[in-house]
Amino acid sequence: MLNMKNTYTRWQLLFLMALRFLIGWHLLYEGIAKLLNPQWSSIGFLKESQWILSGFAKWVISDPSILSAVDFLNTWGLIAIGLGLILGMFFRVAALSGFVLLVVYYFNCPPLVGIEYSLPADGNNLIVNKTLIEAFALAVLAFFPTSRILGMDALMAGWKKKKEEK
Amino acid sequence: MSDKKTDQGPSLRENLGINRDMKRRTVLKAMAGLPVLGLFGIGLLNKREYDLSKKNSIIKELGLDSLELPKSDYGQTKPQGDLIRVGFIGFGTRARQLSRALGFIHPEDMKSWQQRNLLNDWLQQEYLNVAITGICDVFDNHAEDGLATAENYTRPGGNSAPKLPVKRYRTYHEMLADKDIDAVIVATPDHHHARISIDAAKAGKHIYCEKSVALHEDELNELYATVKNSAVVFQLGHQIPQSVVFQQAKEIVKKNILGKITLIETTSNRNSANGAWVRHLDAKGNLKPGSESSIDWKQWLGEAPEVPFSVERFYNWTQWFDYDTGMIGQLFTHEFDAVNQLLRVGIPKSVVSSGGVYFWKDGREMPDSLNCVFEYPKHDLTLMYSGNLASSRSRGRVFMGHDASMELGSNVIIHADSGSTRYKEQIKSGAIDTGSPLLTYNPASQQIDAVSSASEKYYASRGLTTTTLNGRNVDVTHLHLREWLGCIRNGGTTSANIDMAFEEGITCIMAHRAYVEKRCVEWDEVNKKII
């Protein structure tokens, strides 16, 4: 019934699962925290945007309706990605969209030499920061999937297979 | 070996058993994320409860959980009361802003506002049921601007707004004598304010007078007596108290969150030619229009000493003692109004001022660096003003109390004081962190927030709390004019009434005299006289 064979060793699976839950937890809370704070808006973050996406950020800020659409998509996107990772549901889509979203965050405020931000940075960063690392960790998870071993995708794959058999 | 096994094959019953077992295992494996979600849920609930209890405890403790803010009836769609016919005396830059706040826009401004996407928002401004029916300006170009503005029918109220003829008056006396004018807006250079307002009150016209109210003590006394003995509604042109933020600050002061306030620091920080009243040149550096043939110079001078015609004086009048009191009259007036509206400190016992012309050495009399200290022994309070025209470093407006300080700008930020008696326990227990704002007030959400997360703290301290975007933006000058018109129709007192104007006027004259006469100027409370 399992459509993916577990080729991981016990330890590989354990840490891949742990990474999946940790990132899922983080993104889910980021989304929910925004949802619970009625005053949250991405404007503060977008105002800081300086590199290649600064034009995009300005465009978003310029129009309140675009800004609120971006806020909405961001909040619910984070929640959906977080749930997808934790539950192992639509896992690859969730992990890859998470990767894209985090890379967008990174490109808005990359810690490049010569770019200074008024917001204090989390730790000391040179070109690489934690957002970028989290993005690539998500990419790794997408290409070392665990959701069909432990996750809702296993069930869904089963259903799909049954349908095909019928 | 294996062949044998295959040949035998599992029995049907065994097969079904394995299938069921595998199904169950699959379902269990599929649910692997659920315990994690469960833990997440517990963590979230804990965090939420903690945040709410922390926020509530601080807000409750400060008595801010039951704030009663006056409900605004702003946004009326039906025209209020009878039509009020307004005349503008003086139609320069400020008058153009005032007319917009009143619901009239100059065709040129209309074009640029359309390009900047501001026009539609402006058209949503409440229709005040007024018509500009008179314009008086000694400069032909300005008078024509006024006529063009009054006759522009693109305005709030749309087509239903009456289209009355607009008349140009050569002198303000002619306008005041016209029974078809109900009220006047005085937006001339400052040296005319008191005289025109006195004559307007005598003529029974309601008055909206730009600050500063008067340059001399005797004319201020005369204005005060005249308005007091008349039935006209007087409003001095200030707008800070109309902002929602200000109403909130008022409540905070009323609830004594700050403790005893003994020091208030107010500042003006500008660093541009225009901000330093160098205004006779256009954007290309050419002299702006205006000559003796288009400007009635004698009338412009009024009661000021006679000097030959000068375009510079005409545009840059704020630089000269004969026409203004500089930073005191143009900028400190707003600061004083904010303080007086909050604390009603009134006229100070004494004032000292010092400063000089240190940057804009263009022959001006007015200092570009000025510091004034106002003493209020009756209130145990010092009010300081520091203005500078050669640095725009923002220094804010801060009310310093024994228990907390309040910075009042586009938002309100309260910091608990580390030496506070009232918050001693909370500071000790860590419930209140003196390093970050205790409270901020967010005008968009109309509620007080105990600041919690690190980034919120950060934004609040820098005044970057920008949630006003989605809220409706209303021009405060519009609200100030609206209040004035409301009082004309329904009675009541304007917030910048003649008593407030008198206190402000005397305070400013004292500060200016202290600078010019280089001495400590005092107020004789008994004889109501500056000594």
Side-chain angles (χ1 to χ4, degrees), chain A residues 1-2 17 20-21 25 28-29 32 36-41 43-45 47-48 61 64-65 67-68 83 86-87 118-120 149-152 154-155 162, chain B residues 19 22-23 26-34 36-37 39-41 43-44 47-48 51 442 445 447 449 453 455-456 458-459 462 464-467 469-470:
Chain A
M1 286 293 281
L2 289 180
M17 288 299 293
R20 197 180 105 188
F21 287 147
W25 182 298
L28 178 60
Y29 186 67
I32 288 185
L36 293 180
N37 179 359
Q39 272 136 62
W40 175 82
S41 159
I43 188 165
F45 175 78
K47 268 190 169 167
E48 290 277 289
I61 297 171
S65 59
L67 182 69
S68 57
L83 284 175
I86 293 177
L87 291 174
S118 55
L119 261 179
I149 301 165
L150 289 165
M152 300 295 275
L155 261 192
K162 239 186 200 170
Chain B
N19 260 347
M22 276 182 73
K23 253 189 196 162
T26 309
V27 172
L28 279 177
K29 284 179 170 179
M31 301 301 171
L34 282 184
V36 180
L37 264 192
L39 282 177
F40 180 89
L44 183 65
K47 166 94 175 122
R48 188 94 179 120
D51 285 350
N442 186 326
S445 69
Q447 67 180 33
D449 304 310
S453 83
S455 68
E456 278 171 284
Y458 180 80
Y459 285 128
R462 295 183 61 122
L464 292 171
T465 324
T466 40
T467 26
L469 261 180
N470 295 331

Side-chain angles (χ1 to χ4, degrees), chain A residues 46 49-59 103-109:
Chain A
L46 291 171
S49 182
Q50 286 198 35
W51 204 40
I52 48 173
L53 290 184
S54 64
F56 160 78
K58 271 200 193 97
W59 173 72
V103 166
V104 169
Y105 289 171
Y106 172 81
F107 277 127
N108 266 297
C109 299

Side-chain angles (χ1 to χ4, degrees), chain A residues 103-143:
Chain A
V103 166
V104 169
Y105 289 171
Y106 172 81
F107 277 127
N108 266 297
C109 299
L112 304 183
V113 179
I115 298 186
E116 300 208 359
Y117 301 99
S118 55
L119 261 179
D122 179 14
N124 297 299
N125 303 309
L126 176 65
I127 303 171
V128 174
N129 64 13
K130 287 167 193 163
T131 307
L132 191 64
I133 296 170
E134 193 171 21
F136 276 79
L138 273 179
V140 169
L141 284 179
F143 295 111

Side-chain angles (χ1 to χ4, degrees), chain B residues 217 347-349 506 510 522-525 528-530:
Chain B
E217 195 181 355
I347 300 168
K349 176 85 185 69
I506 290 289
M510 284 170 76
E522 297 204 12
W523 174 244
D524 180 347
E525 178 103 42
K528 306 275 171 214
K529 239 179 105 180
I530 297 174

Side-chain angles (χ1 to χ4, degrees), chain B residues 212-214 216-228 234-236 238 333 336-337 340 344 346-348 376 495-510 523-525 527-530:
Chain B
S212 39
V213 63
H216 308 289
E217 195 181 355
D218 48 358
E219 61 180 16
L220 181 54
N221 284 329
E222 190 185 343
L223 173 64
Y224 182 76
T226 314
V227 171
K228 275 284 179 189
F234 180 92
Q235 173 92 299
L236 189 63
H238 285 303
T333 40
F336 180 83
D337 182 56
N340 205 25
R344 200 58 204 272
I347 300 168
Y376 290 90
S495 55
N497 61 20
I498 192 65
D499 291 292
M500 298 298 276
F502 181 76
E503 289 167 10
E504 177 184 312
I506 290 289
T507 307
C508 290
I509 293 167
M510 284 170 76
W523 174 244
D524 180 347
E525 178 103 42
N527 301 310
K528 306 275 171 214
K529 239 179 105 180
I530 297 174

